[in-house]
Amino acid sequence: MTRKSATILEGPSRAPARSYYKAIGFTDEDLRKPIIGIANTWTETMNCNYKLRDLAVYVKEGVRAAGGTPMEFNTIAISDGITMGTEGMKASLVSREVIADSIELVARGHMFDGIVALVACDKTIPGAAMALLRLNTPGIILYGGSILPGTYKGHDITIQDVFEAVGAHARGRISDLELLDIENHACPGAGACGGQFTANTMATVMELIGLSPMGTAAVPQVDPRKNDVARRCGEIIMDCVLKDRKPCDIVTRQAFENAIAGVAGTGGSTNAVLHLLAMAREAHVPLTIDDFNPINNRTPLFVDLKPGGKYVAVDVDRAGGIPVIAHRLEEGKFVHGGALTCTGRTFAEEAADARETPGQQVIRPLSNPLKTTGGLQMLRGSLAPEGCVVKLAGHERRLHRGPARVFEREEDAMAAVTENRIQSGDVVIIRYEGPRGGPGMREMLGVTSAIVGAGLSEDVALITDGRFSGATHGFMVAHVAPEAANGGPIAAVVEGDSILVDVDAGVVNIEIDAAELERRLSGWKAPQPHYRTGVFAKYIALVGSASEGAVTGPV
């Protein structure tokens, strides 16, 4: 094999480089082997990524056992859950770009022969995938794993229950002590949020798209089996390097369609749309939001997971893991079985090894799905000419018409909900929270959970140019494009306008005549950006539309 790292390590002229490495314990023998970068998103600022430093030890064991030399480096991670509902949440989506850029920079600078990326919280997963696809150096992704569920009054709870308890508390439906009790029990240890929220959705995506070895993601972060998973990933990356199996060989158009089917069938997060579009751009695979509906419409929703269903993420592991989901998809011919995976085997070959736990109920048979179509739908219309996304898992509503209640930022909408100013039938409009307008396209779990906690989830719709958490459920429409900060029609909505969301017709409309809409938009003036310096200002200057993945790279 030809080692990329030889450029930096071989020959008399590279003696200074080797000397630096020897200063920290690497030997001549180490430096003659393939060099594997271990990109770690460990951080002490959240539970989601907390044990990734421990897992890296076992990845490195696997690399060494297979004949390679591992070199660990770190990148950033922002907790979506901790920053939710605050100005800090604007950093979350921006961090996806920084994670991708930083992994790319270290890998290009040090000329690694292969990369294993350790990920957990939401943006670390697509950020790592984007970097691997840009570099197209042999690489795989290891998901740290879900948190175990908490227990409250005899049943499983997750962080979703805490957010919804805030809304219930604001309406006087639970006491201070009950809220504290839920808060104290929801998160019992390390691991990413415990439903089919964004982290577990994207972990599912990585297995089904082929960048993570099948059967690795569903093992919880604190489970001792995760150490064996990590060691195996170290061995697999060496096989990828030795056989020159690269991310862009794996992540093809067929692989993207497999991933979309997985999101549809599991009731996954709306964020998957944004991240898959961004990944497709890095892989140079044509993919648009219009490609999602046909796959969603032919794929049943058959995995019963929170936020819309009964079960938590670790129940997938108990049921047999993501390979069982893959087997269902293959059985129903909803996927391309011949797609290559990072192990060198096909999707169908990996799925055939699935071992389903007898009697499990979380991954339902195709003969008895939750719904005959998947959990997401793309809409267009006079309010969103470039499109938007609605999550359908967990409720039956497909039509809502009501008066607009207009808010210029999330905090104002949150106050209106907690102060009982939102009524049955309303359509809550939250704008200037898009990629540029926020900046950073904040998630709205605080306000959407408050709506649920207030008992309004069946009677109120919410529409935003921002994003939703994977834990969001109810009749919620996100990623409205063009965004308000770019003069999209959502900027022209006024209090009381009639808004129509019709899933069956595929539309989201502001029910005023076209001439009136044009008149309003002609008088619109762009607001001043919230940030004029630093990383947010750079992001405002560079970021594209949510309908294209909200990426910052060159066109």
Side-chain angles (χ1 to χ4, degrees):
M1 60 169 290
T2 300
R3 291 193 307 145
K4 184 182 296 186
S5 60
T7 304
I8 210 167
L9 290 172
E10 289 188 359
S13 68
R14 302 311 304 161
R18 293 192 297 271
S19 183
Y20 280 126
Y21 280 126
K22 289 175 181 179
I24 52 176
F26 291 104
T27 66
D28 285 322
E29 182 182 1
D30 293 331
L31 300 179
R32 283 192 290 267
K33 297 174 180 178
I35 307 298
I36 308 299
I38 312 298
N40 202 335
T41 60
W42 174 86
T43 181
E44 201 172 32
T45 61
M46 64 174 118
N47 55 294
C48 307
N49 299 45
Y50 188 66
K51 286 184 68 65
L52 296 186
R53 178 183 280 177
D54 298 339
L55 286 179
V57 172
Y58 296 96
V59 175
K60 289 188 276 190
E61 280 185 9
V63 169
R64 292 190 188 101
T69 296
M71 295 184 179
E72 185 178 356
F73 65 98
N74 227 83
T75 183
I76 67 163
I78 305 293
S79 169
D80 290 45
I82 291 171
T83 62
M84 192 74 66
T86 73
E87 191 77 0
M89 191 7 143
K90 295 180 178 182
S92 170
L93 187 59
V94 179
S95 78
R96 184 190 72 179
E97 309 303 298
V98 175
I99 292 161
D101 290 351
S102 60
I103 293 174
E104 177 193 1
L105 283 169
V106 177
R108 291 197 192 281
H110 285 264
M111 298 185 180
F112 298 129
D113 299 301
I115 301 167
V116 180
L118 279 69
V119 299
C121 193
D122 299 6
K123 306 311 170 293
T124 63
I125 308 173
M130 290 163 67
L132 296 186
L133 291 165
R134 274 184 210 169
L135 292 161
N136 204 28
T137 294
I140 65 172
I141 289 174
L142 169 59
Y143 177 54
S146 174
I147 192 172
L148 298 176
T151 302
Y152 177 71
K153 294 185 176 179
H155 64 271
D156 288 344
I157 63 170
T158 70
I159 194 66
Q160 172 190 346
D161 297 275
V162 186
F163 278 99
E164 292 177 7
V166 171
H169 177 266
R171 287 284 176 121
R173 298 170 68 191
I174 62 172
S175 68
D176 291 350
L177 286 177
E178 287 174 304
L179 176 60
L180 180 62
D181 204 13
I182 294 169
E183 171 189 333
N184 287 342
H185 287 89
C187 298
C193 295
Q196 193 68 342
F197 310 153
T198 303
N200 284 308
T201 297
M202 293 309 298
T204 303
V205 160
M206 292 307 151
E207 281 201 23
L208 299 182
I209 211 167
L211 283 178
S212 291
M214 198 82 80
T216 59
V219 179
Q221 192 164 135
V222 297
D223 193 308
R225 292 176 298 145
K226 203 74 184 190
N227 298 338
D228 295 329
V229 165
R231 193 180 291 108
R232 179 179 171 230
C233 285
E235 296 167 353
I236 289 171
I237 187 58
M238 284 301 299
D239 186 63
C240 291
V241 169
L242 294 172
K243 295 175 181 173
D244 200 29
R245 191 160 52 245
K246 299 175 180 176
C248 289
D249 300 329
I250 296 163
V251 183
T252 61
R253 171 64 188 227
Q254 288 189 339
F256 276 105
E257 292 183 1
N258 290 353
I260 294 168
V263 176
T266 62
S269 168
T270 52
N271 284 308
V273 178
L274 204 68
H275 299 325
L276 285 166
L277 290 170
M279 288 169 58
R281 182 164 175 158
E282 302 290 357
H284 306 289
V285 172
L287 187 74
T288 73
I289 63 168
D290 296 321
D291 295 316
F292 284 74
N293 280 352
I295 299 170
N296 181 80
N297 292 341
R298 69 175 182 246
T299 308
L301 174 59
F302 62 91
V303 187
D304 192 2
L305 287 169
K306 290 178 179 289
K310 296 179 184 177
Y311 297 99
V312 296
V314 298
D315 291 319
V316 172
D317 177 54
R318 293 167 184 153
I322 294 170
V324 179
I325 296 172
H327 187 267
R328 289 280 197 281
L329 292 167
E330 170 71 10
E331 176 189 6
K333 302 190 186 307
F334 303 122
V335 290
H336 303 281
L340 181 68
T341 74
C342 62
T343 64
R345 304 174 76 207
T346 66
F347 184 104
E349 288 171 335
E350 293 286 355
D353 286 345
R355 296 293 178 265
E356 183 174 347
T357 303
Q360 67 83 22
Q361 298 180 350
V362 60
I363 305 170
R364 297 168 71 137
L366 296 178
S367 60
N368 184 31
L370 292 159
K371 293 186 177 184
T372 57
T373 59
L376 299 178
Q377 193 78 15
M378 307 302 122
L379 308 177
R380 291 183 186 266
S382 60
L383 192 60
E386 292 180 7
C388 57
V389 58
V390 61
K391 190 170 184 177
L392 302 175
H395 65 87
E396 299 302 323
R397 274 199 295 166
R398 300 179 71 86
L399 178 71
H400 187 98
R401 174 182 275 118
R405 303 296 308 281
V406 182
F407 303 94
E408 310 301 314
R409 60 179 194 149
E410 180 187 1
E411 288 89 343
D412 296 339
M414 183 69 171
V417 174
T418 57
E419 293 167 9
N420 301 330
R421 291 188 277 121
I422 301 300
Q423 305 300 318
S424 176
D426 285 348
V427 178
V428 177
I429 303 284
I430 306 177
R431 62 192 181 194
Y432 296 104
E433 291 284 8
R436 291 188 66 239
M441 210 178 177
R442 283 193 290 182
E443 291 181 357
M444 303 289 171
L445 182 57
V447 67
T448 60
S449 296
I451 287 171
V452 173
L456 294 170
S457 63
E458 297 303 314
D459 307 301
V460 167
L462 188 149
I463 300 175
T464 180
D465 53 7
R467 296 182 297 120
F468 294 137
S469 164
T472 291
H473 63 114
F475 206 55
M476 313 289 181
V477 180
H479 307 185
V480 168
E483 62 174 296
N486 286 341
I490 193 171
V493 180
V494 300
E495 190 85 4
D497 280 343
S498 178
I499 305 295
L500 171 68
V501 183
D502 186 338
V503 173
D504 292 329
V507 299
V508 54
N509 287 334
I510 174 174
E511 296 189 307
I512 60 176
D513 63 52
E516 172 61 13
L517 179 58
E518 184 177 351
R519 184 192 68 77
R520 292 184 190 178
L521 289 173
S522 67
W524 174 83
K525 293 183 179 179
Q528 292 296 315
H530 293 301
Y531 292 86
R532 296 176 180 273
T533 60
V535 66
F536 284 170
K538 293 178 187 177
Y539 188 80
I540 290 168
L542 294 172
V543 71
S545 172
S547 65
E548 297 176 344
V551 295
T552 57
V555 176

